[in-house]
Amino acid sequence: MILILNENTDPASKSYRELMAHLSKLPNIESRVHNVQGAERMLTEIYLIGHTQALTVEDMRNLPCVERVVKVSEEYRILGRHKDENRPTGFDFNGVRFSQDTLHVFAGLCAVDNRENVETMMRALKANKQVCTRMGAYKPRTNPYSFQGHGKKCLPYVFELAGEYGIKVIAMEITHESHVGEITEALHETGNPTGVMLQIGTRNTQNFELLKSVGRQREYPVLIKRGFGITLDESLNAAEYLASEGNGRVIFGLRGMKTSHGDPHRNFVDFSHVPVIKRLTRMPVCIDPSHSVGSRALAPDGILDVFHVTAQGVAAGANMVLVDFHPAPAKALVDGPQALLLSELSHFLEDVAIAREAYVKRLALARQHRQSQQAA
Ligand code: PEP
Ligand code: MN
């Protein structure tokens, strides 16, 4: 059960203290307070966990400070979309709004290799009016002898350059909880020139201790990738781990499933699940066409498969596109074969805009048909 408190409820107020005192006396029920800072207001939600069957919505609604009560199902309690609820989706981070209604492209380097390539990438992003990017500093690699990423060494120049080129959010994978501290330290040392969205990669989707520690910090939002060999339900529960520890600013990433049935793509493209994630949860949905397709394969119509699957995901309502670019893919230290060229960036963005426009038109068409059916 979730109690949604009146806007801007003051935790020092008498009524709030009365509410908390009442909740603390409920037998076998634990309450967890989540503060959600919106653009203009602070929303406080109290999650009641445990033996909530004994509580009624009416009784809870009559408690001081309570505006609304949502009875949640067992599934994905915090991030899930429950019956008859219309709580907002999304959050603001460093001046950028992420929700199930917005769309942002995170084009960038799969792995940071050197300062020059980071700068070239960021210059291209700025020229194309982009404020988000991806930059891999910690790389989980199959082969222990492969390049593992420059780690904390590259963070200062990545952050400085981001600030210089107006980048507001960098998606950056972490593979260990200590990386969060390294990121915070480097941001601090460089004067907080940008924001970081922590990325949990597909190999760590069920690294529960990592999920718990990333869930406990509230500073950075998290992009969690779907596990490539587990069920969707298992991956959504992994996302819920983050929220259950306190961090509800979570984006869910589709990046293809590992199976030979997806051949010749690197992974079986799963962007048909964009609307499924939106129906089951309130998370914005990210698609990663690069790790899904894994190559620069070109269709006979002259369009790269990476472009095609991106358009499919965006036309279905995706909210974020994480995509690999590189100034010289042949020299990239990780995933060069799937990287797009900087000369393709404006083409890619225009193609995304066409697909987004198609989605917006599809929404309007669906609304129009619903209304005419209701009127009939
Ligand atoms: C990545 O985005 O760099 C990455 C490694 O992705 P995934 O975890 O989906 O393989
Ligand atoms: Mn990669």
Short mmCIF file of all heavy atoms in Angstrom, two decimals, residues 6-41:
data_model
loop_
_atom_site.label_atom_id
_atom_site.label_comp_id
_atom_site.label_asym_id
_atom_site.label_seq_id
_atom_site.Cartn_x
_atom_site.Cartn_y
_atom_site.Cartn_z
N ASN A 6 -0.14 14.97 0.99
CA ASN A 6 -0.44 16.27 0.37
C ASN A 6 0.86 16.91 -0.10
O ASN A 6 1.91 16.72 0.53
CB ASN A 6 -1.09 17.20 1.41
CG ASN A 6 -2.42 16.63 1.87
OD1 ASN A 6 -3.16 16.06 1.08
ND2 ASN A 6 -2.69 16.75 3.16
N GLU A 7 0.77 17.67 -1.16
CA GLU A 7 1.94 18.36 -1.72
C GLU A 7 2.68 19.14 -0.65
O GLU A 7 2.05 19.78 0.19
CB GLU A 7 1.47 19.41 -2.73
CG GLU A 7 1.44 18.91 -4.12
CD GLU A 7 0.88 19.97 -5.04
OE1 GLU A 7 1.28 21.14 -4.92
OE2 GLU A 7 0.06 19.60 -5.89
N ASN A 8 3.98 19.14 -0.74
CA ASN A 8 4.85 19.92 0.16
C ASN A 8 4.56 19.71 1.64
O ASN A 8 4.60 20.64 2.43
CB ASN A 8 4.74 21.41 -0.17
CG ASN A 8 5.21 21.68 -1.60
OD1 ASN A 8 6.20 21.09 -2.03
ND2 ASN A 8 4.51 22.53 -2.30
N THR A 9 4.24 18.47 2.01
CA THR A 9 4.04 18.17 3.43
C THR A 9 5.35 18.39 4.19
O THR A 9 6.41 17.92 3.77
CB THR A 9 3.59 16.69 3.59
OG1 THR A 9 2.31 16.56 3.01
CG2 THR A 9 3.53 16.28 5.06
N ASP A 10 5.25 19.12 5.28
CA ASP A 10 6.45 19.43 6.06
C ASP A 10 6.71 18.32 7.07
O ASP A 10 5.88 18.07 7.95
CB ASP A 10 6.23 20.77 6.77
CG ASP A 10 7.43 21.18 7.60
OD1 ASP A 10 8.45 20.43 7.60
OD2 ASP A 10 7.36 22.24 8.25
N PRO A 11 7.86 17.64 6.99
CA PRO A 11 8.15 16.55 7.93
C PRO A 11 8.25 17.02 9.38
O PRO A 11 8.19 16.21 10.30
CB PRO A 11 9.49 15.98 7.45
CG PRO A 11 9.90 16.77 6.27
CD PRO A 11 8.93 17.86 6.01
N ALA A 12 8.38 18.34 9.56
CA ALA A 12 8.47 18.84 10.95
C ALA A 12 7.09 19.19 11.50
O ALA A 12 6.95 19.53 12.68
CB ALA A 12 9.37 20.08 10.96
N SER A 13 6.05 19.09 10.65
CA SER A 13 4.73 19.52 11.11
C SER A 13 4.13 18.52 12.10
O SER A 13 4.48 17.34 12.13
CB SER A 13 3.78 19.70 9.91
OG SER A 13 3.59 18.44 9.29
N LYS A 14 3.17 19.04 12.89
CA LYS A 14 2.52 18.22 13.92
C LYS A 14 1.75 17.07 13.25
O LYS A 14 1.81 15.92 13.68
CB LYS A 14 1.57 19.12 14.72
CG LYS A 14 0.88 18.45 15.87
CD LYS A 14 0.33 19.50 16.83
CE LYS A 14 -0.62 18.90 17.84
NZ LYS A 14 -1.98 18.72 17.34
N SER A 15 1.03 17.40 12.17
CA SER A 15 0.21 16.36 11.53
C SER A 15 1.07 15.24 10.95
O SER A 15 0.71 14.07 11.00
CB SER A 15 -0.70 16.98 10.47
OG SER A 15 0.04 17.81 9.63
N TYR A 16 2.24 15.60 10.41
CA TYR A 16 3.12 14.57 9.86
C TYR A 16 3.62 13.66 10.99
O TYR A 16 3.66 12.44 10.85
CB TYR A 16 4.31 15.22 9.14
CG TYR A 16 5.27 14.23 8.50
CD1 TYR A 16 5.02 13.68 7.25
CD2 TYR A 16 6.44 13.84 9.17
CE1 TYR A 16 5.90 12.77 6.67
CE2 TYR A 16 7.33 12.93 8.60
CZ TYR A 16 7.05 12.41 7.35
OH TYR A 16 7.92 11.51 6.78
N ARG A 17 3.95 14.29 12.12
CA ARG A 17 4.43 13.49 13.26
C ARG A 17 3.33 12.56 13.76
O ARG A 17 3.56 11.42 14.11
CB ARG A 17 4.95 14.40 14.37
CG ARG A 17 6.31 15.02 14.02
CD ARG A 17 7.07 15.45 15.26
NE ARG A 17 6.27 16.32 16.12
CZ ARG A 17 6.25 17.65 16.01
NH1 ARG A 17 6.99 18.24 15.10
NH2 ARG A 17 5.50 18.38 16.80
N GLU A 18 2.10 13.06 13.75
CA GLU A 18 0.96 12.22 14.19
C GLU A 18 0.81 11.03 13.24
O GLU A 18 0.59 9.90 13.66
CB GLU A 18 -0.33 13.04 14.15
CG GLU A 18 -0.53 13.88 15.41
CD GLU A 18 -1.70 14.87 15.24
OE1 GLU A 18 -2.54 14.68 14.32
OE2 GLU A 18 -1.73 15.83 16.01
N LEU A 19 0.92 11.32 11.96
CA LEU A 19 0.79 10.25 10.96
C LEU A 19 1.86 9.17 11.21
O LEU A 19 1.55 7.97 11.28
CB LEU A 19 0.96 10.83 9.55
CG LEU A 19 1.13 9.81 8.42
CD1 LEU A 19 -0.16 9.04 8.17
CD2 LEU A 19 1.58 10.49 7.12
N MET A 20 3.11 9.61 11.36
CA MET A 20 4.20 8.64 11.52
C MET A 20 4.04 7.86 12.83
O MET A 20 4.34 6.66 12.87
CB MET A 20 5.57 9.35 11.48
CG MET A 20 5.88 10.00 10.14
SD MET A 20 5.53 8.96 8.70
CE MET A 20 6.92 7.85 8.70
N ALA A 21 3.54 8.54 13.86
CA ALA A 21 3.34 7.86 15.14
C ALA A 21 2.28 6.77 14.97
O ALA A 21 2.42 5.64 15.45
CB ALA A 21 2.92 8.87 16.20
N HIS A 22 1.22 7.10 14.24
CA HIS A 22 0.16 6.12 14.00
C HIS A 22 0.71 4.92 13.22
O HIS A 22 0.46 3.77 13.60
CB HIS A 22 -0.99 6.78 13.23
CG HIS A 22 -2.13 5.85 12.96
ND1 HIS A 22 -3.17 5.68 13.84
CD2 HIS A 22 -2.35 5.01 11.93
CE1 HIS A 22 -3.99 4.77 13.35
NE2 HIS A 22 -3.52 4.35 12.18
N LEU A 23 1.47 5.21 12.16
CA LEU A 23 1.98 4.11 11.32
C LEU A 23 2.93 3.22 12.11
O LEU A 23 2.95 2.00 11.91
CB LEU A 23 2.70 4.68 10.08
CG LEU A 23 1.83 5.48 9.10
CD1 LEU A 23 2.67 5.99 7.94
CD2 LEU A 23 0.66 4.65 8.57
N SER A 24 3.70 3.82 13.00
CA SER A 24 4.68 3.01 13.73
C SER A 24 4.00 2.02 14.68
O SER A 24 4.60 1.04 15.10
CB SER A 24 5.66 3.91 14.49
OG SER A 24 4.95 4.53 15.54
N LYS A 25 2.72 2.29 14.98
CA LYS A 25 2.02 1.37 15.90
C LYS A 25 1.29 0.25 15.16
O LYS A 25 0.76 -0.66 15.78
CB LYS A 25 1.00 2.17 16.73
CG LYS A 25 1.70 3.04 17.76
CD LYS A 25 0.71 3.52 18.83
CE LYS A 25 1.14 4.84 19.42
NZ LYS A 25 0.48 6.00 18.84
N LEU A 26 1.25 0.30 13.84
CA LEU A 26 0.54 -0.76 13.11
C LEU A 26 1.33 -2.06 13.24
O LEU A 26 2.53 -2.08 12.97
CB LEU A 26 0.39 -0.39 11.63
CG LEU A 26 -0.47 0.83 11.30
CD1 LEU A 26 -0.40 1.15 9.82
CD2 LEU A 26 -1.91 0.58 11.73
N PRO A 27 0.67 -3.16 13.65
CA PRO A 27 1.42 -4.40 13.87
C PRO A 27 1.94 -5.02 12.56
O PRO A 27 1.22 -5.04 11.56
CB PRO A 27 0.38 -5.33 14.54
CG PRO A 27 -0.94 -4.72 14.23
CD PRO A 27 -0.75 -3.27 13.96
N ASN A 28 3.17 -5.47 12.58
CA ASN A 28 3.81 -6.17 11.45
C ASN A 28 3.84 -5.35 10.16
O ASN A 28 3.76 -5.90 9.07
CB ASN A 28 3.12 -7.52 11.17
CG ASN A 28 3.12 -8.39 12.40
OD1 ASN A 28 4.15 -8.48 13.09
ND2 ASN A 28 1.98 -8.99 12.71
N ILE A 29 3.90 -4.04 10.32
CA ILE A 29 3.98 -3.20 9.12
C ILE A 29 5.15 -2.23 9.27
O ILE A 29 5.33 -1.59 10.31
CB ILE A 29 2.66 -2.43 8.90
CG1 ILE A 29 1.62 -3.45 8.42
CG2 ILE A 29 2.84 -1.30 7.87
CD1 ILE A 29 0.28 -2.89 8.19
N GLU A 30 5.93 -2.19 8.20
CA GLU A 30 7.09 -1.29 8.20
C GLU A 30 6.77 -0.17 7.22
O GLU A 30 6.16 -0.40 6.18
CB GLU A 30 8.28 -2.11 7.69
CG GLU A 30 9.61 -1.42 7.80
CD GLU A 30 10.64 -2.12 6.91
OE1 GLU A 30 10.58 -3.38 6.78
OE2 GLU A 30 11.47 -1.41 6.33
N SER A 31 7.13 1.07 7.57
CA SER A 31 6.88 2.13 6.58
C SER A 31 8.19 2.71 6.08
O SER A 31 9.13 2.91 6.85
CB SER A 31 5.99 3.23 7.14
OG SER A 31 6.12 3.36 8.50
N ARG A 32 8.24 2.94 4.77
CA ARG A 32 9.43 3.54 4.16
C ARG A 32 9.03 4.82 3.46
O ARG A 32 8.10 4.83 2.65
CB ARG A 32 10.05 2.61 3.12
CG ARG A 32 10.70 1.42 3.74
CD ARG A 32 11.59 0.71 2.75
NE ARG A 32 11.94 -0.60 3.26
CZ ARG A 32 12.41 -1.59 2.54
NH1 ARG A 32 12.57 -1.42 1.24
NH2 ARG A 32 12.71 -2.73 3.09
N VAL A 33 9.72 5.89 3.78
CA VAL A 33 9.37 7.19 3.21
C VAL A 33 10.19 7.46 1.97
O VAL A 33 11.41 7.31 1.98
CB VAL A 33 9.62 8.30 4.26
CG1 VAL A 33 9.25 9.67 3.68
CG2 VAL A 33 8.85 8.02 5.53
N HIS A 34 9.53 7.85 0.88
CA HIS A 34 10.23 8.21 -0.36
C HIS A 34 9.86 9.65 -0.71
O HIS A 34 8.68 9.97 -0.83
CB HIS A 34 9.77 7.34 -1.53
CG HIS A 34 10.31 5.95 -1.47
ND1 HIS A 34 11.13 5.43 -2.43
CD2 HIS A 34 10.14 4.98 -0.54
CE1 HIS A 34 11.45 4.19 -2.09
NE2 HIS A 34 10.85 3.89 -0.95
N ASN A 35 10.87 10.49 -0.84
CA ASN A 35 10.60 11.86 -1.27
C ASN A 35 10.90 11.97 -2.75
O ASN A 35 11.98 11.61 -3.20
CB ASN A 35 11.48 12.85 -0.50
CG ASN A 35 11.03 12.94 0.94
OD1 ASN A 35 9.84 13.04 1.22
ND2 ASN A 35 11.97 12.85 1.87
N VAL A 36 9.94 12.44 -3.51
CA VAL A 36 10.12 12.57 -4.95
C VAL A 36 10.12 14.07 -5.26
O VAL A 36 9.10 14.73 -5.08
CB VAL A 36 8.96 11.88 -5.72
CG1 VAL A 36 9.25 11.84 -7.22
CG2 VAL A 36 8.72 10.48 -5.17
N GLN A 37 11.28 14.57 -5.68
CA GLN A 37 11.35 16.01 -5.98
C GLN A 37 10.95 16.24 -7.44
O GLN A 37 11.66 15.86 -8.35
CB GLN A 37 12.77 16.52 -5.72
CG GLN A 37 12.97 18.01 -5.96
CD GLN A 37 12.14 18.88 -5.00
OE1 GLN A 37 12.32 18.83 -3.80
NE2 GLN A 37 11.22 19.66 -5.55
N GLY A 38 9.80 16.85 -7.66
CA GLY A 38 9.37 17.17 -9.01
C GLY A 38 9.91 18.53 -9.40
O GLY A 38 10.64 19.15 -8.63
N ALA A 39 9.55 19.01 -10.61
CA ALA A 39 10.06 20.30 -11.07
C ALA A 39 9.64 21.41 -10.12
O ALA A 39 10.41 22.30 -9.80
CB ALA A 39 9.55 20.56 -12.48
N GLU A 40 8.40 21.35 -9.64
CA GLU A 40 7.91 22.45 -8.81
C GLU A 40 7.55 22.06 -7.39
O GLU A 40 7.43 22.90 -6.52
CB GLU A 40 6.65 23.05 -9.45
CG GLU A 40 6.99 23.98 -10.59
CD GLU A 40 5.93 23.95 -11.66
OE1 GLU A 40 4.77 23.67 -11.34
OE2 GLU A 40 6.29 24.20 -12.83
N ARG A 41 7.35 20.81 -7.17
CA ARG A 41 6.88 20.44 -5.83
C ARG A 41 7.54 19.17 -5.33
O ARG A 41 8.07 18.37 -6.11
CB ARG A 41 5.36 20.28 -5.84
CG ARG A 41 4.94 19.20 -6.80
CD ARG A 41 3.47 19.28 -7.15
NE ARG A 41 3.11 18.14 -7.95
CZ ARG A 41 2.22 17.22 -7.59
NH1 ARG A 41 1.55 17.34 -6.48
NH2 ARG A 41 1.97 16.19 -8.36
#
